Each structure stands twice: as structure tokens, then as C-alpha cells.
Amino acid sequence: CPGCSACMSARVVSARFEPSRSQRRILKRNKKLSREVKAPWATEEHYELFEKYLDQRHADGGMAGMDMYEFAAMIEETPVQSRVIEYYETDDNGKKILKAACLTDVLHDGLSMVYSFFDPELKNRSMGAFIILDHIRMAREAGLPYVYLVFWVPGRPKMNYKANYRPLEVFKDGVWIELTDTMITKVGESPLGNDPVAEQVAAIHLPPQS
């Protein structure tokens, strides 16, 4: 719910992150996926996968019904340096099949995961978690200290999965502070309060578009 009073920007400290046993299993289950980094250009293949993802996972969400032109605008009309991270599997005939994708902003200090989507039929592959783990891996390989997971909302169970990628920092009063167990378990109110989202975004330095 970006824009609500409880939203706080969140980022993983990639250099200090160590995958758990279950996260290592997720990486192993998806080791046959190949990654390709592309310019931010929307394709029909992207849109077909995006529609399939929304229909089965978020049919009542705010993006339901987005047409190809709106989807292309989301991908292509970016004020910063962005990339589409694609994940493919190769079938027995050697054909590459798109299984997941993520629109990712490349910041001066990290990768910001704007929006990801994947084949919903891969129910036992934990694709959402895999995409986050792979972004952490990419950031470490590139020497970037952070992976931004957009927003975290205290007391929202749907946001608790982000706490699985600690050290996790949230933005408060113009500084980043490390998420604690108390902050995660606090329900019904924000233990920190927050800055308006517009101020949080304004305080994050973005590189010029190249």
C-alpha cells in the first residue's frame, strides 16, 4: 500500500546477508533457471506472463485489467536506469521459456526491485523468494551494498516475508535503521511512526539516467 501512513522504505544489506537452509533449498530448486539482463523494453512475452500471474495470484488487485499499453508504460517510462531481469528455462527441444521477470532500478548503491512476476504454475518453486535471493546475489557480485524491497509496513502479515532477508533496514527520520524482532511482531500500529513516503523517496539519491 505505497502512500499509506505506515509505509517505510526497506532494503537488504546484501554484503551481510547469509541464506538460511530453506533459502539455500530454494536456490537449488531453481538452479536450472538462466538469467538475462535486458533494457527496459516491454514485450508480448512479458505481458502474457504478467497477465497469467495477475489472473491467478492478484485477480482483485490494483493492476488487474492493465492493458499492454499501460504495462509498457510501467516498464519503459522510467526516470532512472532500469533493467528487466528475465529468468528462463530451456525445454527438451532447446527452446527458452520465460518463467519470471523483474523490473529493477539500478541505483548508485544497490538494486531496487520495482515489480516482479512469474509463472504461477511453479507453485513448489518459491519463485518470489528466488527472485529476491538472486537479486541479493547480483548485488554482491556487482559490489553493491543493498537490495531495495520497496516498502515495509509494521503489523502487516503480508509484509513479514521481507523479514526473512535480514539484515533488513527501514528508513526513519532521514536515516536507515536495522529492523528488529520487536518491530516485526508489533501488530496494529507502527512502533516507529514514519516519514511520508514522498519524503522517504526524495531522501534516496538516484543516479541520472544513462
Side-chain angles (χ1 to χ4, degrees):
C1 53
C4 76
S5 61
C7 287
M8 288 181 283
S9 300
R11 68 186 186 186
V12 182
V13 184
S14 59
R16 293 168 51 202
F17 174 79
E18 292 295 336
S20 66
R21 181 179 300 178
S22 62
Q23 289 168 340
R24 290 195 295 271
R25 287 197 293 266
I26 291 170
L27 290 169
K28 185 175 181 179
R29 283 199 298 268
N30 292 287
K31 65 181 181 179
K32 291 185 178 180
L33 287 172
S34 61
R35 179 210 304 149
E36 296 187 14
V37 180
K38 302 287 185 64
W41 186 258
T43 68
E44 290 185 7
E45 187 178 29
H46 291 151
Y47 183 64
E48 289 173 3
L49 182 61
F50 173 75
E51 275 196 311
K52 185 178 181 181
Y53 172 77
L54 288 184
D55 287 346
Q56 295 193 35
R57 297 291 296 264
H58 301 288
D60 58 349
M63 290 187 174
M66 181 181 286
D67 62 28
M68 179 64 188
Y69 296 102
E70 293 169 323
F71 175 75
M74 180 180 74
I75 298 293
E76 299 169 12
E77 295 178 8
T78 170
V80 298
Q81 181 179 345
S82 300
R83 295 291 182 267
V84 177
I85 313 299
E86 301 173 341
Y87 298 94
Y88 289 92
E89 278 188 344
T90 303
D91 66 15
D92 294 337
N93 298 317
K95 180 182 178 181
K96 294 194 308 181
I97 302 172
L98 183 67
K99 294 295 184 179
C102 184
L103 176 62
T104 302
D105 289 343
V106 182
L107 310 182
H108 75 291
D109 63 351
L111 303 176
S112 179
M113 298 178 63
V114 178
Y115 194 80
S116 62
F117 51 97
F118 51 86
D119 187 343
E121 294 180 4
L122 301 178
K123 296 179 180 179
N124 299 321
R125 300 273 292 273
S126 303
M127 290 300 296
F130 168 75
I131 295 171
I132 294 174
L133 291 168
D134 192 61
H135 274 68
I136 296 172
R137 181 163 53 188
M138 280 192 291
R140 293 180 73 156
E141 291 171 353
L144 296 171
Y146 304 110
V147 172
Y148 291 85
L149 301 182
V150 192
F151 296 101
W152 181 73
V153 183
R156 285 288 299 274
K158 288 185 177 180
M159 292 287 174
N160 285 348
Y161 76 92
K162 296 183 180 183
N164 295 329
Y165 306 93
R166 289 196 275 177
L168 186 74
E169 297 179 341
V170 293
F171 195 74
K172 168 62 181 170
D173 292 333
V175 297
W176 291 93
I177 61 174
E178 191 164 322
L179 191 71
T180 65
D181 290 336
T182 300
M183 293 159 61
I184 296 167
T185 57
K186 189 77 171 178
V187 177
E189 62 178 304
S190 167
L192 297 177
N194 66 288
D195 296 322
V197 170
E199 293 180 14
Q200 296 181 39
V201 173
I204 300 174
H205 172 72
L206 300 179
Q209 186 169 4
S210 58

